Amino acid sequence: MTSNPMHATPNIFILAVVRSADKTVVASYLRSNEVTVEGVRECIASNPSMVRGKRYSATGPAQTIHYTLDPQGRVFSIVTAPKYPLRIAFAALDELQEMFNREIGIRVASATEGSLSRPAAAIFKHIYEKYENPAKVDKLTSVQEKVDVVKSVMKENIQQVLANTEKMEDIEAATEQLRNNANEFKGRSKQVRDAMWWKMWKMRLLIGGLVTSVLLIIILSFTLSSGSSKK
């Protein structure tokens, strides 16, 4: 791989964690012999009124020290080239703070000078390699933003599909209910038709019986009347 002239010297010189109470540099990662942790210690010591969570920067002729104090009294610092973007410097500190506190932060209270440098080496290396080239960080940020947009769109599409699926299920349920109602109506119609058919035949039988009875009465009356006349 060919070297980039822009990065002939590092953009990040030092990463350090300082215990605020006594200004002990409990862990550090140096990438340049021109800068030492003593400069970091002196810069932090010169600001006794630091507010937790606030971000600070001090720019010199050859480097800028960025640092912030967390709620546990740990100062996280990064020393960069003067033109290194401020927002990327503090993005690096935010990630350093999160990783360091999660993995070994509890050990800071009893740590001695530099005793956590080795345990924190992998964390420092990750931060350095990720943030050394600010242009690369911007590209990663851009890609991540695009990924987040795609994820958001996909999430909305999935929610829409699920909503449509629920609507289809509702439609299918309504269709099934209509089909059941139609079958029930058909069954009831047949029952009513059969009942009407039997009722009609009952009426016919009743009328037929009445007519037959009347005819029998008339015939019997006529027969009896004829018999009486002959006598």
Side-chain angles (χ1 to χ4, degrees), residues 1-217:
M1 180 182 295
T2 59
S3 61
N4 188 339
M6 181 179 177
H7 300 110
T9 58
N11 284 309
I12 296 176
F13 303 140
I14 297 178
L15 294 165
V17 180
V18 181
R19 188 168 55 224
S20 176
D22 56 6
K23 307 304 181 287
T24 298
V25 181
V26 297
S28 62
Y29 184 80
L30 278 66
R31 300 300 298 175
S32 173
N33 294 327
E34 298 178 3
V35 184
T36 67
V37 295
E38 289 304 319
V40 176
R41 192 196 320 270
E42 291 174 5
C43 178
I44 293 172
S46 67
N47 186 5
S49 59
M50 277 189 295
V51 177
R52 294 180 180 182
K54 189 175 180 179
R55 297 173 171 182
Y56 299 91
S57 296
T59 301
Q63 70 275 331
T64 299
I65 301 176
H66 308 280
Y67 58 99
T68 183
L69 176 67
D70 79 354
Q72 290 75 35
R74 305 159 190 160
V75 181
F76 293 85
S77 176
I78 181 172
V79 182
T80 69
K83 293 184 179 180
Y84 192 89
L86 184 67
R87 58 185 178 79
I88 297 180
F90 282 106
L93 283 182
D94 288 342
E95 187 169 351
L96 172 61
Q97 178 179 331
E98 192 276 329
M99 294 180 67
F100 188 94
N101 284 343
R102 183 180 68 242
E103 297 185 23
I104 56 178
I106 195 172
R107 299 165 62 179
V108 170
S110 59
T112 58
E113 181 79 15
S115 63
L116 297 182
S117 294
R118 186 180 296 274
I123 298 173
F124 285 138
K125 183 179 180 181
H126 167 77
I127 297 299
Y128 176 81
E129 291 180 348
K130 180 176 179 180
Y131 291 94
E132 161 60 17
N133 185 347
K136 181 180 177 182
V137 175
D138 279 342
K139 289 180 181 178
L140 290 174
T141 302
S142 177
V143 170
Q144 185 60 49
E145 289 175 351
K146 291 178 181 178
V147 170
D148 291 341
V149 170
V150 172
K151 286 170 63 178
S152 177
V153 172
M154 289 299 296
K155 183 178 180 181
E156 292 178 1
N157 290 341
I158 290 172
Q159 290 176 343
Q160 187 63 39
V161 169
L162 292 175
N164 291 338
T165 300
E166 292 177 357
K167 291 179 181 178
M168 288 299 296
E169 291 176 351
D170 292 341
I171 292 173
E172 290 178 359
T175 302
E176 184 64 24
Q177 183 63 38
L178 288 173
R179 186 181 298 112
N180 292 336
N181 291 342
N183 291 334
E184 184 179 354
F185 178 77
K186 183 178 179 181
R188 290 183 178 179
S189 298
K190 187 175 182 302
Q191 292 176 357
V192 171
R193 187 168 59 251
D194 292 343
M196 291 298 294
W197 187 84
W198 280 111
K199 185 175 181 180
M200 181 185 67
W201 276 105
K202 286 179 182 179
M203 289 295 293
R204 288 179 179 177
L205 290 173
L206 179 60
I207 293 171
L210 289 173
V211 171
T212 301
S213 298
V214 170
L215 289 175
L216 286 174
I217 291 171

